[in-house]
Amino acid sequence: DEEKQALCTSEFLAQARHHDPFAGFARHFERVRDADPLSRVLYVDFKTWLANDILVKVDRMSMACSLEVRSPLLDHKIVEFAASLPSSLKYRGSVSKFLLKRHVASRVPALDVHRPKQGFELPLAAWLRSDLRDMARDLLLSTRATGRGYVRPEEVKRIWDTHQSGARNHSPQIWALMVLELWHRQYMDR
């Protein structure tokens, strides 16, 4: 909320005051209100981030490279089984996926079973300080972008300068503002 208050203009905040960005999440949490906390979080994660974010990205990027990707642990029978398990078999102490790891421990080397997650992350912060720097600056600090009335140009400039100096990684905010501006140019300015 503090970042939103600092970044957005008072006019935009007034227009958006009745919009609750967490309403969709709240509906999912409400559907499983009687479940234990871990099961509730897993359910919401399954319904939101997994379905609408990570799986979509994997699907699109693999298709772009002519690859067929399957997520074997998302077979509906496995998902239904996992959802029926008590939380103590999903997470025990500091071990996540407890039952799965125990099941495969004799079949897979221990280093692989207990290896920490390793996601694929773009070096966006570095790109915004190098290869994408000029394009991002031109998009965000242009008269066109600053005149739209959504964000305070001085706050965008502060975020930009702080990121460029390396004092803080503002790549998620900068990327979101870039995508908003590109979307605006593509769909609203025409």
Side-chain angles (χ1 to χ4, degrees):
D1 278 342
E2 287 176 14
E3 288 182 9
K4 187 169 54 173
Q5 295 295 323
L7 178 64
C8 298
T9 63
S10 55
E11 296 82 13
F12 178 76
L13 290 171
Q15 289 180 351
R17 73 182 174 277
H18 296 296
H19 173 69
D20 179 3
F22 299 106
F25 292 95
R27 282 192 298 275
H28 290 300
F29 274 110
E30 183 60 26
R31 287 185 190 124
V32 289
R33 69 179 165 271
D34 296 330
D36 63 273
L38 179 62
S39 295
R40 291 182 80 200
V41 169
L42 291 173
Y43 176 82
V44 173
D45 195 50
F46 187 81
K47 290 294 199 175
T48 58
W49 182 73
L50 192 65
N52 298 325
D53 190 298
I54 197 66
L55 290 178
V56 173
K57 289 175 183 173
V58 168
D59 192 44
R60 289 180 183 166
M61 294 304 102
S62 62
M63 285 191 301
C65 299
S66 300
L67 293 174
E68 185 68 30
V69 173
R70 293 282 185 247
S71 300
L73 297 179
L74 291 179
D75 177 87
H76 74 93
K77 291 178 183 176
I78 295 174
V79 170
E80 290 165 2
F81 171 70
S84 73
L85 293 173
S87 289
S88 63
L89 293 178
K90 297 174 189 175
Y91 206 93
R92 185 170 291 176
S94 64
V95 179
S96 63
K97 301 177 190 155
F98 176 77
L99 185 62
L100 175 63
K101 289 178 180 178
R102 189 166 182 196
H103 176 71
V104 300
S106 63
R107 299 167 179 86
V108 178
L111 290 175
D112 292 332
V113 171
H114 299 289
R115 185 182 74 191
K117 275 187 171 184
Q118 183 180 353
F120 175 75
E121 192 171 304
L122 294 174
L124 187 57
W127 285 352
L128 289 170
R129 292 184 186 109
S130 59
D131 297 0
L132 294 177
R133 181 183 177 152
D134 293 342
M135 182 183 85
R137 183 186 59 239
D138 292 346
L139 276 172
L140 299 181
L141 305 177
S142 68
T143 307
R144 203 167 164 188
T146 59
R148 296 200 188 278
Y150 301 132
V151 295
R152 297 176 184 188
E154 66 279 3
E155 181 63 11
V156 174
K157 178 85 167 77
R158 187 196 66 75
I159 289 169
W160 176 257
D161 290 342
T162 305
H163 182 82
Q164 292 304 312
S165 73
R168 187 157 173 215
N169 176 10
H170 284 296
S171 60
Q173 295 91 330
I174 292 169
W175 185 254
L177 290 167
M178 287 173 64
V179 170
L180 175 63
E181 179 57 22
L182 288 169
W183 173 84
H184 224 291
R185 290 180 184 193
Q186 179 72 34
Y187 298 104
M188 301 304 286
D189 291 351
R190 289 188 171 193

